[in-house]
Amino acid sequence: KEKLTKTRQGFVDKVERIFTGATKIDEDLYEELEEALIQSDVGISTSMELVENLRKKVKERKIADPLLLNEVLKENIVELLGEKIELKLNDSGTTVYLVVGVNGVGKTTTLGKLARHFRNEGKSVLLAAGDTFRAAAIEQLEAWGQRAGVDVIKQSEGADPAAVTFDALQAAKARKTDILLVDTAGRLHNKVNLMKELTKMKRVVEREIPSAPHEVLLILDATTGQNAIQQVRIFQEAAEVTGIILTKLDGTAKGGVILGIQGEARVPVKMIGIGEGLEDLKPFEPDQFAEALFG
Ligand code: GDP
């Protein structure tokens, strides 16, 4: 919670200043609030939606004191964020996640953290080096595998990612591995290729384990603000994303982007990255997040 201090400062200070600085609830106040939300990376349509809901509740409840708006806004944010949604697991056999995202967002680090997360729960884990485009990506994944204490299934640079995925599935089946985490390439310059590659990997997974992939997890960097929302749209087209892991929430005042993602993309944020270390991955708790936002 203390790691979200920057988000809290960026978001709530702005909002609270508006509420405490106003003498009455009027159009100017609503406009200022909408502006502040947009500046906090909540996104235009989600900001408008939040303000619209606030306006409705103020009317219904005949609220006149601006100082009471804080609570109502918080209520709207809790509603927007919805219930906590856990990572989906296979109840019989290996659970398979495809992990997607643009280079630099923290995908490799998050794969290491996820591996450790499941190891901490006593599960066996395998990583698959499905980003075969760069040798460095394979090496980095191996380094994280070592740190997390799990094996990495790999081929050489330039290998077919679907073939690596197939190998990893065979290994996971033979070893009765609980969790298989498959890395994918993060090049966005060619959307058609990206889509083809992900579709092919997914098909291999489905053929071997019909209920899989159990999640397609999109890794997003919270510090990129609105770009993150853009990336959700692109990857949703390419791969039917089922959940989001938002990284670098420790280093940003832009945690408001979570609201934008939930409001505009309707894909649940399932976990958050709050540091560079192996243990710095936490389940996303909507209630706690809303509480943290409002101090
Ligand atoms: P990839 O290219 O997407 O695989 O990105 P990396 O996993 O190599 O991470 C890129 C940089 O982001 C590295 O310096 C990581 O240490 C850093 N990073 C990843 N996750 C987090 C996080 O949650 N918080 C912070 N502060 N840094 C992170």
Side-chain angles (χ1 to χ4, degrees), residues 101-111 113 131 134 137 140 144 183 186 219 221 223 246-252 272-277 280-281:
V102 178
N103 288 333
V105 293
K107 186 156 57 69
T108 316
T109 308
T110 304
L111 279 157
K113 290 175 180 176
D131 182 356
R134 296 171 306 147
Q140 275 168 31
W144 277 103
D183 191 14
I219 315 302
D221 177 344
T223 63
L246 199 59
T247 66
K248 309 187 196 180
L249 265 174
D250 51 307
T252 182
I272 55 175
I274 48 169
E276 295 182 276
D280 292 328
L281 181 75

Side-chain angles (χ1 to χ4, degrees), residues 158-178:
D160 181 355
V164 177
T165 306
F166 181 79
D167 276 0
L169 285 158
Q170 301 312 312
K173 279 184 172 180
R175 302 182 194 185
K176 300 199 190 323
T177 303
D178 296 318

Side-chain angles (χ1 to χ4, degrees), residues 72-187:
V72 187
L73 180 64
K74 185 166 145 190
E75 195 182 302
N76 287 345
I77 285 173
V78 170
E79 279 168 23
L80 173 71
L81 290 174
E83 299 277 301
K84 178 182 173 187
I85 303 178
E86 311 251 359
L87 290 171
K88 205 177 146 208
L89 295 171
N90 185 359
D91 27 306
S92 61
T94 306
T95 297
V96 185
Y97 296 165
L98 285 184
V99 180
V100 304
V102 178
N103 288 333
V105 293
K107 186 156 57 69
T108 316
T109 308
T110 304
L111 279 157
K113 290 175 180 176
L114 267 178
R116 171 60 71 104
H117 168 79
F118 286 115
R119 292 271 289 139
N120 286 346
E121 293 184 343
K123 297 190 167 80
S124 55
V125 183
L126 263 183
L127 288 165
D131 182 356
T132 59
F133 188 69
R134 296 171 306 147
I138 302 173
E139 283 159 24
Q140 275 168 31
L141 191 68
E142 283 194 294
W144 277 103
Q146 259 172 20
R147 271 173 226 151
V150 312
D151 286 346
V152 178
I153 305 296
K154 58 159 189 174
Q155 290 184 12
S156 49
E157 184 186 348
D160 181 355
V164 177
T165 306
F166 181 79
D167 276 0
L169 285 158
Q170 301 312 312
K173 279 184 172 180
R175 302 182 194 185
K176 300 199 190 323
T177 303
D178 296 318
I179 311 281
L180 171 61
L181 306 172
V182 184
D183 191 14
T184 64
R187 289 164 296 139

Side-chain angles (χ1 to χ4, degrees), residues 87 114 117 244-246 269-273 281-284:
L87 290 171
L114 267 178
H117 168 79
I244 286 167
I245 298 182
L246 199 59
V269 174
K270 297 205 168 176
M271 304 205 86
I272 55 175
L281 181 75
K282 300 279 173 264
F284 176 58

Side-chain angles (χ1 to χ4, degrees), residues 14-43:
K14 256 188 237 138
V15 169
E16 259 172 13
R17 224 174 295 131
I18 293 168
F19 295 154
T20 52
T23 49
K24 59 180 191 310
I25 300 174
D26 57 10
E27 271 319 299
D28 284 352
L29 183 149
Y30 286 128
E31 251 170 56
E32 254 186 272
L33 176 62
E34 193 174 300
E35 192 55 41
L37 291 170
I38 292 169
Q39 274 176 25
S40 307
D41 272 309
V42 175

